[in-house]
Structure formats: C-alpha cells, structure tokens
Amino acid sequence: MYALVEIAGKQYKAVVGEKVLVDHLNLESGSTYETEKVLAIVDGENAKFGSPYIADAKVTGTVGEMVKGDKVKVYKFHRRKGYRRTQGHREQYTELTFVAIEG
C-alpha cells in the first residue's frame, strides 16, 4: 500500500516505514507531520484518485533530522573579459518517516 502526497508543492510517494527527504520544513525533529493533501491511494488492485485531493484521507509521518544535500558549484564565466565568479550552494532537506496512511 502506498499513497501519493503533496508536501511543500512537490509530490512524493509515501510508503509506511520508508524515509523520504523533502524540502526543508520548519518543524522540530521527533514531532509528527500530518498532511491531508493526498492525491492517490493504491492498495494492490484497488486504487483511489482524487480531483485534486481525496476527501477524508490523511498521511502521518514523524520528522527526522535536518540534512544538507550535495554541494552544487555555480561558475559564471565571460570569455575574454576577465569575468569569473564561483559560488557554492547546499540545499537543506527534512527527513520524513511515514507512519500511517488513512483513507
């Protein structure tokens, strides 16, 4: 059984007991996270799809630690002008472990 949920504007596949990295959420680690933005629930041969969301469906998860992604280097260069700029960036993610799918 799995569900397709929308968290912070992006869609994720929620499987009970599985960890997923989502965009940074302002929550403390160890707290619970509930979303009612469930797009689909699939259980073997049975499937429910919402338009856009399924009524009375909910996915619950626990918040893990905050993690940083891989470093991305941004390099700007204009030939023959002496223009070179280097900048780095690391995206922050929140680790969610899904506990229950209701609906």
Side-chain angles (χ1 to χ4, degrees):
M1 178 175 190
Y2 68 91
L4 299 177
V5 295
E6 183 179 319
I7 300 172
K10 295 183 180 178
Q11 296 177 6
Y12 298 95
K13 181 179 179 180
V15 180
V16 174
E18 193 171 289
K19 293 181 181 180
V20 174
L21 292 178
V22 299
D23 284 343
H24 180 70
L25 302 171
N26 272 339
L27 299 171
E28 294 183 23
S29 55
S31 63
T32 60
Y33 178 78
E34 291 183 353
T35 182
E36 294 180 354
K37 294 184 176 182
V38 180
L39 302 166
I41 296 177
V42 178
D43 187 13
E45 293 292 320
N46 302 325
K48 287 186 201 174
F49 296 98
S51 60
Y53 306 118
I54 299 174
D56 300 328
K58 182 170 47 171
V59 174
T60 309
T62 58
V63 178
E65 58 185 14
M66 307 303 166
V67 189
K68 285 187 177 180
D70 294 334
K71 181 166 253 190
V72 177
K73 292 228 176 193
V74 179
Y75 185 70
K76 296 181 180 181
F77 171 79
H78 294 181
R79 66 181 191 159
R80 297 189 302 266
K81 305 296 180 194
Y83 177 81
R84 290 175 177 83
R85 300 288 182 267
T86 303
Q87 183 179 5
H89 176 74
R90 289 184 76 181
E91 193 70 34
Q92 292 188 354
Y93 297 105
T94 301
E95 188 179 77
L96 279 180
T97 305
F98 294 108
V99 177
I101 298 173
E102 300 172 13

